Amino acid sequence: MSDEIKHECGIALIRLRKPLQYYIDKYHTPFYAANRLYVLMQKQVNRGQDGAGLANIKINTRPGTRYISRYRSVESEAVAKIFQKINKKYKKVKKLGTDEKLLDAEWIKENAAFTGEVWLGHLRYGTHGQNSIETCHPFLKQNNWRSRNLVMAGNFNMTNVEELFDNLVKLGQHPKEKTDTVTVMEKIGHFLDEENQRIFDKYKGHFTNKEITEVIEQELDVARILRRSCRDFDGGYAMAGLIGNGAGFVVRDPTGIRPAYYYADDEIIVVASEKPPIKTAFNIDYQQIKEIQPGNALIFNKDGSFGEHEIIPPREKKSCSFERIYFSRGTDPDIYKERKNLGRALVPQILKAIDFDLKNTVFSYIPNTAETAYYGMIEGLEDYLSAKRREILIEGKPHLEDLEDLLNFRPRVEKLVSKDVKLRTFITNDSDRDVMVSNVYDTTYEVIRSGVDTIVVIDDSIVRGTTLEKSILTTLDKLKPKRIIIVSSAPQIRFPDCYGIDMSRMKEFIAFRAAVALLREREMEHVLEEVYDKCIAEPDAQVNFVKEIYAPFTDQEISNKIAQIITSEKIEADVHVIYQTVQNLQLSCPAHRGDWYFTGDFPTDGGMRVVNMAFVNYMEGKVIRAYK
């Protein structure tokens, strides 16, 4: 994606199902889980470079012994820094014990932190607010009773934080912050406390308090806690929690917006936001990795037993299509196939745009994540050429081309765009900054015929258009092509996201700016005022009024206006923009129909409120997000 946006967080969870000694004996190390968690987290750094954290819980430690350990970091390469700190602790312990002690589970748990059986890692993408240690997951709610301790981390955004906060206040709580992370943890923590109290009251008078504590740890009904906690949540979420006794969960929103996958066998339970990290860390087949179903929670108990439980009745599945287009790692075989399909689906539009003149067209891509869609695009072009050869050779259709040239012709492909990762726009003067930005990307010279060739460059998506305008088009225009055609494998991004991606302000979207420009050109500015009035009059309406801003125009009209907006007076080439159609997106990613940023069809009530409020903010000149 040429326009950098902040997006999804990542979770990584490991639960050892056997005593630690088992892993020491089998794998000859007490650090089996730590090593696997490092791989799980490192393979998900595409999901979070703002910070990272992990927590570890030891099961069945004696009183007076620390059993919860946590490290968080907002440094660059945070995952590596955290594990370096853990490794230093391990090295110190090695100096204290003999080789025999280091392979004794009881001794290592007694003397070393981060040697427990339950692990939770998190990679943070901060969508808004400060980037500090305090904002890094996992969060910790502490208590002297093990079964009342709660560690939480997640990939989520709630659209109704105000409502959730007010509910906590009504319960008598005094939350320290009005953020979705704190609010969610306090809500689940409240019902965890109530579940503890329910079991305590059940056995009070039958056992001593010490005995009841053991009973509580065995009988905690985690599914009941989550059902009571999650019923008011509105948003997209995959939330992981650890309870101090060794139980835990990963719960997913009922629409399946945010992803969560797991693998389990006799030795381990592992959960991650993506499938490739699980495969890499444990060397298993993709078919063994399961998806936590929407509205369900994967729950494991103190004894290591586990199951998937329905927490909230599932709705129509609307899992995030942007995961498939851009966010998730392309090494997932399904995602790889889908991205190629997205590129292939664009071929008819591209051929029409270049007037079917393949001889004078060069194809390339914006590095690095658009590469897979690019391969699909090229395969689609080759299929087109094969069909043309078939028409001539088998069906005997007339043609103008030389037969020899037709048989040997291949699409012209070049790597025209390279990103100079070492170049930084550190100069503060605005005019100099624009010069620096224009040189972030470099190009390959002497492969384009001046004034003759058309350049077709594919990108994952076009959000703001800033990088295209200030860098990529300027770079490509230096090659003096006849035309430059920018192709987006995603449809036009028209609406904000409120479920985790940092796309919450209307004016940032190049498609919205284009629609507004068209309204003004055609003296239809009254549409803006009418939509604004509706949003103000019905703030809780379950209708996306903002759709009316786009309704007067075809997709092509908006694409043409976008091309005008991103083309400066200095650009000599004729510039065109092609977007994926929503229909082809759905055909390419049939199991992931969360397309609200393109269609405006938000899957939750809160999403509808957010899009209308985002437009109100735009009209009132407020540069804030439309949800707390």
Side-chain angles (χ1 to χ4, degrees):
M1 185 182 294
S2 55
D3 291 317
E4 182 181 352
I5 62 171
K6 294 181 181 293
H7 51 88
E8 304 308 328
C9 298
I11 54 176
L13 182 150
I14 292 177
R15 170 62 153 90
L16 300 181
R17 300 188 67 200
K18 295 182 181 294
L20 182 60
Q21 192 63 51
Y22 170 89
Y23 304 90
I24 294 174
D25 294 340
K26 181 173 181 178
Y27 299 103
H28 311 293
T29 174
F31 312 126
Y32 168 79
N35 292 335
R36 295 300 184 277
L37 188 76
Y38 174 72
V39 176
L40 278 179
M41 294 182 69
Q42 196 64 43
K43 292 297 181 180
Q44 292 187 92
V45 293
N46 55 298
R47 304 189 70 86
Q49 289 97 43
D50 287 341
L54 68 83
N56 176 243
I57 294 180
K58 301 174 184 178
I59 300 176
N60 291 328
T61 57
R62 62 179 178 81
T65 303
R66 180 181 292 274
Y67 60 95
I68 300 179
S69 301
R70 178 179 61 157
Y71 272 154
R72 297 178 292 175
S73 174
V74 291
E75 298 179 70
S76 60
E77 300 182 357
V79 173
K81 296 290 175 57
I82 287 171
F83 279 90
Q84 286 170 7
K85 291 176 69 175
I86 293 173
N87 193 45
K88 286 181 180 179
K89 283 188 172 289
Y90 290 162
K91 287 181 178 180
K92 287 182 180 179
V93 172
K94 286 180 180 180
K95 295 178 181 179
L96 298 176
T98 62
D99 290 343
E100 184 176 314
K101 286 183 177 180
L102 290 171
L103 295 177
D104 181 275
E106 288 191 19
W107 187 90
I108 197 75
K109 284 178 66 174
E110 185 84 12
N111 290 276
F114 296 99
T115 53
E117 296 88 346
V118 195
W119 295 77
L120 176 58
H122 184 263
L123 299 107
R124 180 177 187 270
Y125 248 126
T127 54
H128 296 274
Q130 295 181 340
N131 189 36
S132 62
I133 287 289
E134 288 72 23
T135 58
C136 271
H137 302 197
F139 279 42
L140 175 60
K141 188 175 188 293
Q142 293 181 289
N143 196 288
N144 251 12
W145 279 264
R146 280 192 307 205
S147 56
R148 290 176 183 252
N149 282 276
L150 179 63
V151 180
M152 282 200 65
N155 172 19
F156 63 92
N157 260 21
M158 297 299 171
T159 67
N160 63 332
V161 174
E162 292 279 359
E163 177 188 340
L164 297 174
F165 181 86
D166 290 343
N167 288 343
L168 290 176
V169 174
K170 289 175 184 177
L171 290 171
Q173 291 194 22
H174 191 89
K176 62 181 181 180
E177 291 181 45
K178 192 183 288 187
T179 62
D180 52 6
T181 306
V182 171
T183 305
V184 164
M185 185 177 70
E186 293 298 341
K187 184 87 179 288
I188 295 175
H190 169 77
F191 288 111
L192 174 62
D193 288 342
E194 284 204 350
E195 177 68 6
N196 273 264
Q197 191 64 45
R198 180 184 70 84
I199 300 172
F200 179 84
D201 293 341
K202 177 181 176 181
Y203 292 104
K204 185 178 180 180
H206 299 282
F207 300 102
T208 66
N209 284 359
K210 184 178 180 181
E211 290 170 335
I212 293 176
T213 295
E214 295 297 325
V215 174
I216 290 172
E217 293 194 3
Q218 298 297 331
E219 289 195 12
L220 273 180
D221 188 342
V222 179
R224 184 173 187 269
I225 295 168
L226 293 175
R227 290 188 186 106
R228 301 180 75 197
S229 303
C230 297
R231 59 192 175 195
D232 298 327
F233 293 166
D234 187 298
Y237 54 86
M239 296 185 293
L242 308 181
I243 300 171
N245 67 329
F249 62 86
V250 178
V251 61
R252 197 170 176 210
D253 66 83
T255 313
I257 295 171
R258 300 273 68 87
Y261 301 92
Y262 76 97
Y263 165 75
D265 59 24
D266 291 341
E267 293 185 0
I268 56 101
I269 301 166
V270 55
V271 183
S273 296
E274 300 182 23
K275 289 191 285 185
I278 299 177
K279 174 173 175 56
T280 302
F282 295 91
N283 193 29
I284 57 175
D285 294 334
Y286 272 104
Q287 291 73 20
Q288 295 175 274
I289 303 171
K290 299 179 181 180
E291 182 179 9
I292 298 176
Q293 293 304 302
N296 283 13
L298 181 71
I299 296 172
F300 53 88
N301 303 307
K302 181 181 179 180
D303 62 5
S305 60
F306 75 97
E308 192 170 341
H309 304 262
E310 183 177 300
I311 302 303
I312 303 176
R315 304 170 190 161
E316 181 184 359
K317 189 178 180 184
K318 293 284 187 178
S319 50
C320 174
S321 58
F322 245 128
E323 289 280 356
R324 322 304 287 184
I325 297 167
Y326 171 70
F327 295 152
S328 294
R329 294 174 71 89
T331 51
D332 182 308
D334 293 331
I335 292 176
Y336 184 79
K337 179 181 178 181
E338 290 164 7
R339 289 181 182 174
K340 288 186 73 175
N341 288 342
L342 288 167
R344 184 187 297 269
L346 287 158
V347 168
Q349 291 173 261
I350 294 171
L351 288 170
K352 184 178 178 180
I354 64 172
D355 301 318
F356 297 86
D357 183 11
L358 289 172
K359 289 184 178 180
N360 298 311
T361 303
V362 176
F363 297 90
S364 193
Y365 62 93
I366 309 294
N368 289 319
T369 52
E371 186 174 4
T372 306
Y374 167 76
Y375 291 142
M377 178 182 70
I378 298 304
E379 286 183 5
L381 291 169
E382 290 174 342
D383 289 345
Y384 164 77
L385 287 171
S386 295
K388 294 293 290 183
R389 295 185 187 108
R390 190 181 303 112
E391 288 178 358
I392 294 168
L393 297 176
I394 298 177
E395 300 175 18
K397 290 189 175 182
H399 64 95
L400 299 175
E401 298 91 348
D402 180 80
L403 188 58
E404 184 77 18
D405 290 342
L406 183 67
L407 290 173
N408 293 328
F409 183 77
R410 293 289 182 273
R412 295 172 61 193
V413 296
E414 302 288 353
K415 186 172 182 179
L416 295 179
V417 182
S418 302
K419 191 169 186 179
D420 190 343
V421 296
K422 295 180 181 179
L423 198 62
R424 295 290 183 265
T425 55
F426 56 85
I427 300 175
T428 56
N429 180 274
D430 288 342
S431 59
D432 288 335
R433 182 182 295 277
D434 284 346
V435 172
M436 294 295 288
V437 168
S438 68
N439 287 285
V440 168
Y441 286 90
D442 203 354
T443 188
T444 305
Y445 293 93
E446 305 300 329
V447 294
I448 299 298
R449 292 174 297 179
S450 176
V452 175
D453 287 336
T454 293
I455 295 175
V456 175
V457 180
I458 190 169
D459 196 357
D460 291 295
S461 59
I462 304 169
V463 185
R464 304 180 183 96
T466 306
T467 307
L468 284 174
E469 179 183 359
K470 295 186 179 296
S471 182
I472 293 171
L473 284 178
T474 301
T475 300
L476 292 175
D477 197 55
K478 293 175 183 178
L479 302 176
K480 300 191 178 303
K482 179 182 178 181
R483 285 182 296 186
I484 300 173
I485 300 176
I486 304 296
V487 181
S488 170
S489 68
Q492 295 170 2
I493 298 170
R494 299 181 169 192
F495 304 95
D497 183 73
C498 53
Y499 305 121
I501 308 170
D502 186 16
M503 298 193 306
S504 59
R505 290 181 284 270
M506 295 296 301
K507 72 172 186 178
E508 294 183 347
F509 306 134
I510 187 72
F512 177 76
R513 289 160 52 201
V516 170
L518 287 171
L519 288 173
R520 288 172 176 160
E521 283 179 9
R522 301 183 188 185
E523 298 183 349
M524 298 172 63
E525 292 180 84
H526 62 88
V527 173
L528 297 173
E529 295 297 334
E530 289 168 2
V531 172
Y532 174 73
D533 290 341
K534 289 178 181 180
C535 293
I536 292 294
E538 301 180 70
D540 295 321
Q542 294 310 300
V543 178
N544 181 352
F545 297 121
V546 183
K547 285 185 178 183
E548 296 177 24
I549 292 167
Y550 298 97
F553 314 114
T554 65
D555 292 353
Q556 189 59 55
E557 285 177 309
I558 293 176
S559 293
N560 292 344
K561 177 53 66 175
I562 289 171
Q564 291 179 21
I565 291 173
I566 64 175
T567 305
S568 71
E569 295 179 356
K570 296 179 181 179
I571 301 297
E572 297 181 5
D574 190 16
V575 176
H576 298 265
V577 175
I578 294 174
Y579 279 93
Q580 186 74 263
T581 66
V582 172
Q583 181 182 14
N584 280 338
L585 168 68
Q586 294 173 346
L587 290 172
S588 299
C589 309
H592 303 271
R593 304 296 288 270
D595 56 13
W596 53 91
Y597 2 74
F598 313 122
T599 63
D601 297 330
F602 287 81
T604 75
D605 293 347
M608 291 296 188
R609 290 194 298 269
V610 165
V611 64
N612 292 329
M613 182 53 66
F615 180 70
V616 170
N617 289 340
Y618 165 78
M619 292 294 286
E620 295 179 354
K622 296 178 181 177
V623 188
I624 57 174
R625 63 175 176 173
Y627 58 96
K628 299 295 182 180

